[in-house]
Amino acid sequence: EKTLPKMGENLPGRIRMMIVIATLREEQKDSEKAEKTLRELAVLLDRPEASEIGVYGVEDIERKSAEVHERIGRYAVERGDTEAGLASYLEAYRRDPVRTARLGLRLAEIQARKGSRDEALPRLAEYLATKPQMLDGYELLVKLRRQAGADSVLLDELRTHVENDPRNADLRLLLARELGRSSRKDEALDQAMRVLRCAAKQHARRLDRFDRDRAGTLFEHDQLVCDRLV
């Protein structure tokens, strides 16, 4: 860091140095200094000449800047500054459309903390459209819809997500849980049993590996079994 002032207007060198320093700060778990370095890096990346002197191309520099703003947002949220975190995430969201889906969950979480449910739901929908395997986004959907008393809307949305991602057993079990909470016991049991039947058949097919040489086609057959249970 102490060498930076001596680099003068060597912008490519300064940018590369700041990237290294930010990474080191993060590895050292020094959040305060890491965020400070990232903010300085964001300023350098925004200089018009940054894309003209061979550091990155125009599109690459936008993606790099979006990545930096996303990391800044994460640190801001971690230290409790949701407004700063939201601003940084929105900046990353604006700069790199490819990042949109993943950032949707982060933006939705911040909006939910602020009590802005109507603003959180569209962001969350963008994220859930990517069919995530983790349940964080779906759990947030449950929380937001339950808070609004929109139980039937929640169940319809979860059913749609299950239909769109039929092999996601955890998601189907979450649907079963919410059906049970809404006193739809029969449908909840049906969804849970589908998961159990699929798991049992997959297990049986794996055991069959010891009797017949089917290792090459096993995974494909497992998927077909689950598809037929949808």
Side-chain angles (χ1 to χ4, degrees), residues 23 53 74 96 120 135 145 150 188 191 197 205 212 230:
T23 301
I53 56 180
R74 186 179 71 246
D96 186 8
L135 294 182
R145 290 305 190 193
Q191 293 294 338
R197 285 196 296 268
R205 288 180 179 275
R212 289 182 287 175
V230 174

Side-chain angles (χ1 to χ4, degrees), residues 149-208:
D151 295 10
S152 61
V153 173
L154 169 65
L155 295 180
D156 287 342
E157 288 176 330
L158 289 178
R159 289 189 188 98
T160 298
H161 287 305
V162 167
E163 289 173 2
N164 292 336
D165 192 7
R167 296 174 189 152
N168 191 334
D170 290 335
L171 174 57
R172 192 179 290 277
L173 288 174
L174 185 143
L175 170 60
R177 185 193 75 192
E178 294 306 312
L179 287 166
R181 290 177 64 185
S182 298
S183 300
R184 304 193 183 196
K185 307 296 184 184
D186 290 342
E187 189 179 354
L189 180 60
D190 176 64
Q191 293 294 338
M193 289 304 297
R194 290 188 186 201
V195 175
L196 292 175
R197 285 196 296 268
C198 180
K201 289 197 174 186
Q202 287 180 347
H203 182 63
R205 288 180 179 275
R206 290 189 178 98
L207 290 178
D208 197 41

